[in-house]
Amino acid sequence: MVEVIKNISEWLKIQKEEIKSDKSIGFVPTMGALHQGHKSLIEKCRKENDIVVVSIFVNPTQFNDSNDFKNYPTTYEHDIKMLEECNVDYLIFPNFDSMYPDGYHYKVIEDDFSKKLCGATRPGHFDGVLTVVMKLINIVKPARAYFGEKDFQQYKLIDGMCKAFFMDVEIIPCETVREQSGLAMSSRNKLLSEDEIKIAPIFYKLLKSDLDLNKIKIKLEEASFKVDYLDETDGRRFGAVFLGNVRLIDNVKK
Ligand code: AMP
């Protein structure tokens, strides 16, 4: 049975008193509405650690658009079932006040890569991400924490933060899990209409094609996507698009 922990001091007590020092803790932070992408991270974590901790916290400080935050899907009962299936030991499920006793006056800010790609059109997004991940890692104290390459920029920034602040944790990247259509799995896919779900896989197909970024942009717009950005850096091609109000991101190795 997964033990659900809402109170952070309760977890700190368990962590101190019940988890023997020779047991390794693996950690998978999420915002819930769990799917096979999350499951792959949790399964890898289960294989590589004695104790598996997952968190579900829809972190308001990383949403620059309040509607996006309000509409973010939640599927708590389904999530608990998946955590049980994956043999997860603890779910950390905190509320805002327990995560932000400082009222978000203390922040972790990276001032270079976080301003590019997704950061260019989502001001403050990565400040929120880095701050909450540092808090969660300090709370859970894992040996290893797992992050998906679907959010490659996020993974790189978190890895950089942990190294910059000498945090004693190994950041493990995990490959993007896709639908059969090629569409990267995402909690936000649940917000797509039936028609949009049919169009969405075109994004990945074009991203991994040999076409140049200009041609890809034209073809995406023809298929009714609104392009947020397309870019190439560090041997990867990155993109973010809107289908209706839903923002999708993806990236591929070049
Ligand atoms: P989220 O709940 O969207 O914040 O995601 C939690 C973690 O799962 C992050 O490290 C994501 O990068 C990862 N993740 C989300 N979708 C996928 C996917 N399709 N494949 C691999 N990892 C993913």
Side-chain angles (χ1 to χ4, degrees):
M1 281 287 275
V2 59
E3 190 168 338
V4 180
I5 306 212
K6 297 186 176 167
N7 186 314
I8 288 167
S9 45
E10 189 192 330
W11 161 255
L12 292 175
K13 232 162 123 195
I14 293 175
Q15 210 266 352
K16 216 173 184 171
E17 289 173 10
E18 296 201 15
I19 300 178
K20 303 209 173 63
S21 58
D22 61 342
K23 294 216 163 169
S24 63
I25 299 177
F27 179 41
V28 182
T30 81
M31 298 207 296
L34 302 181
H35 50 67
Q36 298 299 312
H38 298 112
K39 197 170 179 185
S40 73
L41 270 60
I42 296 170
E43 284 172 347
K44 190 167 164 64
C45 180
R46 181 72 278 172
K47 278 195 199 121
E48 298 177 355
N49 300 277
D50 300 315
I51 309 278
V52 173
V53 180
V54 173
S55 64
I56 295 181
F57 179 63
V58 184
N59 174 37
T61 67
Q62 72 188 69
F63 285 81
N64 53 310
D65 171 352
S66 59
N67 276 328
D68 187 25
F69 177 59
K70 264 191 248 148
N71 295 330
Y72 200 82
T74 53
T75 58
Y76 183 76
E77 300 301 325
H78 155 91
D79 292 356
I80 292 285
K81 252 194 224 150
M82 184 183 283
L83 299 178
E84 299 277 5
E85 274 167 31
C86 295
N87 208 4
V88 168
D89 298 294
Y90 297 98
L91 168 66
I92 310 279
F93 188 61
N95 63 19
F96 179 81
D97 289 341
S98 55
M99 285 303 292
Y100 288 94
D102 60 312
Y104 196 41
H105 289 291
Y106 288 85
K107 298 179 191 186
V108 182
I109 296 175
E110 193 277 354
D111 71 359
D112 183 20
F113 189 42
S114 76
K115 306 297 175 198
K116 298 175 179 148
L117 304 173
C118 283
T121 50
R122 300 188 71 189
H125 167 64
F126 286 116
D127 301 351
V129 169
L130 293 178
T131 302
V132 81
V133 171
M134 185 186 274
K135 284 171 186 271
L136 287 166
I137 287 177
N138 286 343
I139 292 165
V140 175
K141 302 184 178 66
R144 298 175 197 88
Y146 297 77
F147 292 88
E149 289 186 346
K150 197 211 89 179
D151 304 280
F152 194 85
Q153 186 180 14
Q154 170 175 284
Y155 150 66
K156 285 301 273 185
L157 285 164
I158 289 167
D159 190 48
M161 171 183 78
C162 292
K163 289 180 172 134
F165 289 100
F166 304 98
M167 293 166 71
D168 193 12
V169 58
E170 194 183 342
I171 301 301
I172 316 266
C174 306
E175 256 178 48
T176 303
V177 177
R178 300 179 180 281
E179 305 283 358
Q180 269 192 340
S181 63
L183 175 66
M185 290 194 182
S186 164
S187 302
R188 287 189 177 84
N189 293 353
K190 295 186 172 77
L191 303 172
L192 295 170
S193 70
E194 260 176 52
D195 285 344
E196 288 166 345
I197 277 279
K198 287 182 199 139
I199 300 167
I202 296 172
F203 178 34
Y204 172 62
K205 283 194 189 107
L206 286 170
L207 210 56
K208 72 177 171 69
S209 72
D210 292 334
L211 299 175
D212 67 32
L213 295 182
N214 273 333
K215 286 237 174 63
I216 293 176
K217 182 163 192 277
I218 291 166
K219 286 198 173 280
L220 282 168
E221 285 169 352
E222 279 170 4
S224 84
F225 291 91
K226 190 170 156 266
V227 176
D228 187 7
Y229 72 81
L230 290 168
D231 208 346
E232 281 173 0
T233 173
D234 292 334
R236 294 186 97 89
R237 182 181 269 174
F238 295 83
V241 295
F242 284 93
L243 255 186
N245 292 323
V246 182
R247 188 171 181 277
L248 304 175
I249 63 170
D250 205 343
N251 68 91
V252 294
K253 240 194 208 145
K254 276 288 290 161

